Amino acid sequence: MFNTVKEAWGEVGGLSKPSKMPSYGYSLSAFKCKVGSKLRKVLNSTCANCYALKGRYIFPNVQEALDKRMDKLENNPKWVDAMIFLIRHYCTKTKVFRWHDSGDLQSVQHLINIVNIAECTPNVKHWLPTREVTIVKKYKDLFGEFPSNLVVRISATMVNGVPHKFHEHSSTVATSHDLAIGHLCPAPKQDNKCGDCRACWDTNIKNVTYLEH
């Protein structure tokens, strides 16, 4: 359907390339988070000090780009095919892709689209962190489990909180190493980068803990 990367890039509004990540990702404005918009007003929640609501993320040109992606996501029928094209192009070697280094799921249809993309890129592992529990529950009630190459991790709502129990993959935020549950993210000891770690994409790891920063 697409002849060039530039053409597909325009259909989705571009991908993101977080400095921490070993590969490309996809981001939306954190100001458009549904659950997150409520949690950021709650003291000691994992959204109260959201990194995607400060720094370069709030530059007008960045927010404009993120809003453009939201518009493409919601209104462009070519969005799914363009994402498949781009992930195949950029992630063939890295074999991993991260969803929403900022922002979150907007609807069940949004999640259905991501599942479709994962199914069409079986050689790439997808990681989707989310606080949209209701959306995930609705999807699972309708369709069952996710593809084996898509790890959906339900993010804990409170710092030093416990993992959500309804879904097998999760993540938590802790203030110290001794409060970590499951796998502790090694990034703080690796120049704030994933390095060789791929725990977030690993279906065998039930919970990943990130140190609060």
Side-chain angles (χ1 to χ4, degrees):
M1 179 178 290
F2 303 101
N3 296 316
T4 66
V5 170
K6 182 178 180 180
E7 182 183 355
W9 190 276
E11 295 293 348
V12 302
L15 301 180
S16 61
K17 189 67 166 67
S19 58
K20 177 182 178 180
M21 296 290 113
S23 187
Y24 281 81
Y26 178 81
S27 57
L28 296 168
S29 173
F31 289 100
K32 301 295 177 65
C33 291
K34 296 180 179 296
V35 171
S37 293
K38 299 175 182 177
L39 283 177
R40 67 171 175 258
K41 302 175 184 177
V42 179
L43 184 66
N44 204 43
S45 78
T46 51
C47 294
N49 191 33
C50 178
Y51 66 85
L53 293 173
K54 55 189 177 182
R56 62 173 295 276
Y57 281 98
I58 62 173
F59 291 170
N61 64 317
V62 175
Q63 283 299 312
E64 182 179 350
L66 295 175
D67 288 342
K68 181 180 180 181
R69 288 180 194 168
M70 181 72 79
D71 178 66
K72 297 288 187 181
L73 165 69
E74 295 178 337
N75 300 305
N76 187 0
K78 297 180 180 180
W79 187 85
V80 169
D81 288 336
M83 286 297 301
I84 293 169
F85 183 95
L86 291 172
I87 290 171
R88 286 174 176 170
H89 177 82
Y90 285 110
C91 303
T92 298
K93 291 183 179 180
T94 62
K95 298 187 183 304
V96 292
F97 186 81
R98 177 186 175 165
W99 290 94
H100 305 143
D101 50 280
S102 70
D104 207 337
L105 291 170
Q106 298 296 301
S107 64
V108 174
Q109 186 58 53
H110 185 180
L111 181 52
I112 291 171
N113 289 346
I114 289 174
V115 169
N116 188 356
I117 293 165
E119 290 175 336
C120 291
T121 54
N123 295 323
V124 175
K125 292 184 177 180
H126 297 252
W127 162 38
L128 169 62
T130 182
R131 290 177 177 80
E132 300 296 336
V133 175
T134 299
I135 291 176
V136 175
K137 282 183 176 179
K138 286 181 179 178
Y139 175 91
K140 293 182 75 172
D141 287 344
L142 289 169
F143 304 105
E145 297 305 314
F146 296 105
S148 60
N149 66 322
L150 170 61
V151 178
V152 177
R153 293 193 181 276
I154 304 296
S155 305
T157 55
M158 303 300 291
V159 175
N160 293 327
V162 297
H164 281 271
K165 297 185 181 300
F166 96 96
H167 184 66
E168 63 177 333
H169 295 115
S170 57
S171 65
T172 51
V173 176
T175 52
S176 62
H177 293 75
D178 59 320
L179 294 174
I181 300 171
H183 180 87
L184 179 63
C185 173
K189 295 182 178 181
Q190 299 176 170
D191 194 28
N192 199 35
K193 297 183 184 299
C194 295
D196 294 331
C197 181
R198 298 293 181 270
C200 295
W201 292 269
D202 191 338
T203 55
N204 294 314
I205 295 179
K206 302 306 180 183
N207 189 75
V208 177
T209 296
Y210 309 103
L211 288 180
E212 186 181 30
H213 59 82

